[in-house]
């Protein structure tokens, strides 16, 4: 037995309904996006008009120049401290080198004296 042609029709109708639904969904989505854009533009226009009504108080501590100057001062001070520490480390390294040289010479002399005694 073969299936009647009516059984194939509901599948085609479902496909057609799905195409119509997709198109209508796209149209509804486009209208929604346009509505959102229009309302956003209205809000920005209102805010632009209210800009002379909103008082603006400039905060001295939030000036970028002051913050930049403070950061530069802090960086300069930190760099100076690092240079001082490096200088002290070099001095300590030189002192340790001198002590190691003196110990090496002392050990050499002790070894030489031990060889002479034996």
């Amino acid at each position: 037995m073969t299936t009647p042609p009516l059984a194939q029709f509901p599948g085609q109708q479902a496909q057609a309904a799905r195409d119509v639904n997709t198109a209508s969904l796209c149209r509804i989505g486009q209208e929604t996006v346009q509505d959102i854009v229009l309302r956003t533009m209205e809000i920005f226009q209102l805010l632009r008009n209210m800009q002379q009504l909103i008082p603006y108080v400039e905060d001295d501590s939030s000036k970028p120049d002051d913050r930049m100057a403070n950061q530069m001062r802090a960086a300069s001070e930190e760099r100076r401290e690092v240079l001082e520490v490096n200088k002290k480390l070099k001095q300590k390294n030189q002192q340790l080198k001198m002590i190691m040289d003196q110990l090496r010479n002392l050990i050499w002399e002790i070894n030489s004296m031990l060889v002479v005694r034996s």
Side-chain angles (χ1 to χ4, degrees):
M1 257 192 178
T2 62
T3 57
L6 294 177
Q8 292 177 355
F9 183 73
Q12 290 174 351
Q13 186 179 15
Q15 179 67 28
R18 189 175 2 181
D19 290 341
V20 171
N21 285 337
T22 303
S24 64
L25 286 176
C26 287
R27 183 180 48 79
I28 291 171
Q30 181 182 4
E31 290 173 357
T32 304
V33 169
Q34 287 175 346
D35 189 40
I36 290 171
V37 169
L38 180 66
R39 289 184 184 189
T40 305
M41 289 174 56
E42 287 176 3
I43 288 172
F44 282 124
Q45 184 64 35
L46 289 172
L47 288 173
R48 186 179 301 135
N49 290 338
M50 291 177 61
Q51 187 175 7
Q52 278 72 22
L53 301 175
I54 300 173
Y56 178 74
V57 177
E58 188 172 333
D59 188 10
D60 291 337
S61 65
S62 67
K63 286 185 179 178
D65 294 336
D66 290 343
R67 278 188 273 157
M68 183 75 81
N70 288 338
Q71 289 176 351
M72 293 292 287
R73 242 182 264 121
S76 175
E77 187 173 329
E78 185 177 337
R79 185 168 189 261
R80 185 180 52 80
E81 290 174 2
V82 167
L83 290 175
E84 287 179 20
V85 169
N86 282 341
K87 185 178 178 182
K88 289 180 182 179
L89 281 174
K90 285 182 183 180
Q91 289 174 349
K92 288 292 181 184
N93 284 341
Q94 288 176 350
Q95 289 175 353
L96 287 173
K97 185 179 181 219
M98 287 175 45
I99 291 171
M100 286 172 31
D101 288 341
Q102 289 173 351
L103 284 173
R104 189 178 298 116
N105 288 335
L106 183 62
I107 291 172
W108 177 262
E109 289 177 5
I110 291 172
N111 284 337
S112 297
M113 293 170 91
L114 287 174
V115 168
V116 170
R117 278 193 173 177
S118 45

